[in-house]
């Protein structure tokens, strides 16, 4: 009985080896799902999978890791569908704002700096400035938290109806005091600090229609005092 079981196991192993080397299991179709900015041909080229390869020779995890080395690909998964098909599923990074760091970089919704802008890259995103390379290197956790807050603030403004991204010329990231917006027009500083940005914007929206005609005469709007909006006039 034991001998029969061993012979059967050996036969199964041999059959699997023969089938895996057979021309029947060669890649004939590569599908790509999740493309928005990238196209399928680019993703396939990045994967280094070629039609005609033996399906079982493709290291799925290794291909996924290789794809994630691309600036635009946040996650990648490769699935083998026997006998001749592979499916690549990607999740692309979505830039939320542009960070001025002596050079321009895209930052995603997790506050991750993921790509230096190249010629031809879109510039139609909010611009943030204030952090230095030294701060990013020496104060990593604090800097990353500020970048996450900035991304969350941009998404919050994108969803608003009254005070929106259209009213924002630039965002300033200050390691000491938190976040400030500069209005469009007039570049009036709107001080938001480090927390409860949504609640502070609610307060601003309640009076912003009255402030708009006066923007040219304002120095700053401070929302850091609970339940108040402090407005400072410019000294001419």
């Amino acid at each position: 009985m034991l001998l029969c079981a061993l012979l059967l196991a050996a036969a199964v192993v041999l059959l699997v080896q023969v089938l895996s080397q057979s021309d029947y299991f060669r890649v004939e179709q590569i599908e790509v799902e999740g493309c928005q900015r990238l196209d399928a041909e680019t993703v396939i080229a990045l994967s280094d999978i070629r039609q005609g390869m033996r399906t079982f020779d493709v290291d799925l995890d290794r291909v996924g890791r290789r794809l994630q080395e691309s600036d635009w690909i946040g996650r990648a998964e490769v699935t083998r569908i026997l006998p001749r098909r592979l499916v690549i599923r990607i999740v692309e990074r979505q830039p939320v704002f542009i960070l001025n760091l002596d050079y321009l970089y895209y930052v995603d919704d997790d506050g991750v700096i993921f790509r230096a802008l190249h010629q031809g890259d879109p510039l139609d995103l909010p611009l943030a400035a204030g952090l230095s390379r030294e701060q990013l290197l020496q104060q990593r956790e604090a800097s990353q938290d500020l970048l996450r807050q900035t991304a969350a603030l941009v998404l919050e403004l994108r969803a608003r109806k009254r005070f929106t991204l259209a009213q924002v010329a630039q965002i300033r990231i200050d390691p000491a005091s938190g976040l400030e917006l500069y209005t469009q027009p007039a570049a009036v500083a709107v001080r938001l600090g480090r927390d409860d940005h949504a609640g502070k914007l609610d307060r601003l929206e309640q009076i912003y229609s009255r402030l708009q005609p006066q923007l040219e005469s304002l120095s700053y709007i401070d929302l850091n005092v609970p339940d108040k909006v402090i407005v400072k006039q410019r000294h001419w």
Side-chain angles (χ1 to χ4, degrees):
M1 182 70 69
L2 178 59
L3 179 60
C4 289
L6 290 173
L7 289 172
L8 179 59
V12 169
V13 170
L14 179 61
L15 178 61
V16 169
Q17 290 177 340
V18 170
L19 287 175
S20 66
Q21 298 300 314
S22 168
D23 286 346
Y24 184 67
F25 292 97
R26 289 188 180 273
V27 177
E28 290 187 355
Q29 186 177 2
I30 305 170
E31 297 178 7
V32 181
E33 299 177 358
C35 286
Q36 297 181 28
R37 186 178 301 268
L38 300 174
D39 55 52
E41 290 76 14
T42 298
V43 175
I44 292 170
L46 290 170
S47 75
D48 204 28
I49 300 172
R50 299 176 302 280
Q51 290 194 356
M53 295 177 66
R54 289 191 177 91
T55 306
F56 292 102
D57 287 343
V58 179
D59 185 330
L60 304 184
D61 290 337
R62 185 178 177 185
V63 172
R65 290 193 298 271
R66 182 186 299 128
L67 287 168
Q68 288 171 188
E69 292 174 359
S70 166
D71 292 341
W72 288 111
I73 299 176
R75 294 196 304 276
E77 177 185 77
V78 187
T79 304
R80 184 185 288 117
I81 301 178
L82 298 177
R84 303 183 183 92
R85 184 156 61 106
L86 294 174
V87 178
I88 300 172
R89 298 180 179 88
I90 65 170
V91 177
E92 293 185 4
R93 293 187 184 276
Q94 299 299 322
V96 171
F97 67 93
I98 294 170
L99 179 66
N100 186 348
L101 203 63
D102 299 328
Y103 200 83
L104 300 181
Y105 294 86
Y106 282 137
V107 183
D108 70 10
D109 54 356
D110 288 324
V112 175
I113 301 170
F114 70 92
R115 175 183 170 86
L117 269 70
H118 301 164
Q119 186 174 3
D121 281 339
L123 296 169
D124 57 342
L125 290 171
L127 179 66
L131 284 178
S132 68
R133 291 182 182 274
E134 290 75 16
Q135 288 163 336
L136 282 170
L137 292 172
Q138 296 171 12
Q139 305 171 36
R140 292 183 182 229
E141 289 188 16
S143 298
Q144 189 60 49
D145 184 55
L146 284 167
L147 291 174
R148 279 193 294 267
Q149 288 185 37
T150 304
L153 176 60
V154 170
L155 295 175
E156 174 71 29
L157 289 165
R158 191 180 289 173
R160 286 185 172 259
K161 302 296 184 184
R162 283 179 284 178
F163 189 82
T164 70
L165 281 177
Q167 277 82 46
V168 176
Q170 186 172 315
I171 301 169
R172 179 168 178 77
I173 305 171
D174 190 317
S177 60
L179 304 184
E180 286 185 349
L181 303 176
Y182 287 86
T183 63
Q184 172 67 39
V188 177
V190 179
R191 299 175 180 176
L192 290 170
R194 292 181 169 275
D195 56 16
D196 191 25
H197 296 146
K200 292 172 181 177
L201 289 172
D202 286 342
R203 260 187 279 146
L204 177 63
E205 285 189 332
Q206 290 174 11
I207 65 167
Y208 195 67
S209 61
R210 283 179 281 156
L211 290 178
Q212 273 185 300
Q214 309 173 45
L215 287 179
E216 295 289 347
S217 67
L218 300 184
S219 176
Y220 63 79
I221 302 168
D222 193 339
L223 300 169
N224 287 305
V225 178
D227 302 322
K228 293 186 178 181
V229 177
I230 297 175
V231 178
K232 176 70 173 178
Q233 295 281 338
R234 287 180 179 169
H235 297 293
W236 299 101

